Amino acid sequence: MRQLMMRRRGSQTATPGTGDDAHRRRRLPTSGAALTVSIVALVVAMGGSAYAGITLGKNSVGTKQLQKGAVTNGKIAKGAVGLGKLKTGLVVPNALHADTADSATNATNATNATNATTATSATSATSATTATTAANGFVSFGTFNGPVGTIPVSSGFVFAGPTTTLTTTAGQTIMASSEAPLGTLATTATVEVSICKSPATGTPALTLLDTLTPDGYSISVATTTRIPFAAAAAGAPGAGTWKIGECVNNTSTTQAVNNTDYVSGYAYVTTGSPVPGSSAVKPGSATPGHGS
């Protein structure tokens, strides 16, 4: 009996106690690997929470932060990039809006459309030269220049030097203007000055170009002082090819017009109606001569 009681006391003595000594005795066994895993899990959990709490400030992402090719076509909103943001030469201005590209084929050769404004009337510009002259009523043009030579007494109208050749159709008009220095070596000579025409082929009958003005010529006097005599006229000779030039009629019966120089003049064909009124005025004279 006594031995049994002693055993029970021994058992009670072996029962774990309470207090600080008891806590120290209850430490769990630890492992180095388990401790390492626990620390890593804690760091990852704290780091993830800290990263999730970061907010990017306005304008904090710039060119350096973007990778090459990071911004793709699908990432650009429709209408987000305006014309002012495009570098010159990268995009054809007229090709920005697809809804205006009636024909994509026509946009392929945009380089050819550089002068599209000037090509508006390309269909009617078959011949620019013809279009220019037609607008002005101008058909053809000619000049005459060269020595006059001697005009004999009682000559009738003769060309004073070279002529020009023009071709007309019915209703077209020839207009001409010229001047020729005339004079004598002795006494004076009375002359009539105008613009004449003559058929380029056949019988060379010389007549005044201006058929609408009666006596369409000027009367003046050639002296020993050589001076220029001017003439101008307009007429509709009809269909044909004509020699056109300044003409002089020396009415003197004693004195040739033999102190002369170079004639200089021009003539042109127009589609307008003839304007009557030839003239040839001696420089320095107070009034035009006869028939002006």
Side-chain angles (χ1 to χ4, degrees):
M1 181 67 168
R2 185 175 177 179
Q3 288 179 353
L4 179 59
M5 289 178 66
M6 287 180 69
R7 281 180 192 156
R8 292 172 112 178
R9 281 180 190 164
S11 299
Q12 290 173 358
T13 303
T15 301
T18 60
D20 294 337
D21 292 337
H23 283 297
R24 281 193 292 269
R25 285 196 294 270
R26 279 194 226 164
R27 288 179 183 171
L28 296 173
T30 59
S31 170
L35 179 62
T36 301
V37 171
S38 300
I39 293 173
V40 171
L42 178 61
V43 170
V44 170
M46 293 179 65
S49 301
Y51 180 80
I54 296 176
T55 302
L56 296 177
K58 184 179 181 180
N59 297 328
S60 61
V61 178
T63 304
K64 293 182 178 179
Q65 285 73 30
L66 294 176
Q67 294 183 359
K68 184 176 180 181
V71 180
T72 61
N73 188 55
K75 298 296 183 181
I76 302 176
K78 184 177 181 181
V81 181
L83 182 59
K85 296 297 184 180
L86 296 178
K87 183 177 179 181
T88 302
L90 290 182
V91 179
V92 180
N94 291 336
L96 290 179
H97 302 287
D99 55 349
T100 61
D102 295 332
S103 174
T105 303
N106 295 333
T108 301
N109 299 316
T111 304
N112 297 331
T114 303
N115 299 315
T117 302
T118 59
T120 303
S121 302
T123 302
S124 59
T126 304
S127 175
T129 303
T130 303
T132 301
T133 57
N136 299 327
F138 183 87
V139 177
S140 59
F141 180 83
T143 61
F144 46 95
N145 183 278
V148 174
T150 297
I151 300 174
V153 297
S154 304
S155 62
F157 278 106
V158 294
F159 284 123
T163 61
T164 187
T165 301
L166 297 173
T167 300
T168 58
T169 61
Q172 290 182 335
T173 298
I174 295 178
M175 304 184 71
S177 179
S178 66
E179 64 86 18
L182 304 176
T184 64
L185 295 176
T187 59
T188 63
T190 301
V191 292
E192 299 172 352
V193 182
S194 188
I195 300 291
C196 289
K197 67 179 185 300
S198 175
T201 58
T203 304
L206 196 71
T207 57
L208 299 179
L209 176 62
D210 183 1
T211 58
L212 300 180
T213 303
D215 300 327
Y217 54 86
S218 294
I219 298 176
S220 191
V221 176
T223 67
T224 53
T225 301
R226 185 176 60 200
I227 56 176
F229 289 75
T241 301
W242 313 91
K243 291 181 179 180
I244 305 295
E246 184 165 344
C247 54
V248 175
N249 176 20
N250 179 9
T251 61
S252 174
T253 59
T254 59
Q255 179 60 53
V257 178
N258 49 10
N259 183 15
T260 61
D261 202 357
Y262 275 53
V263 66
S264 179
Y266 65 87
Y268 58 93
V269 178
T270 72
T271 58
S273 300
V275 179
S278 302
S279 64
V281 182
K282 176 182 177 181
S285 61
T287 57
H290 168 75
S292 62

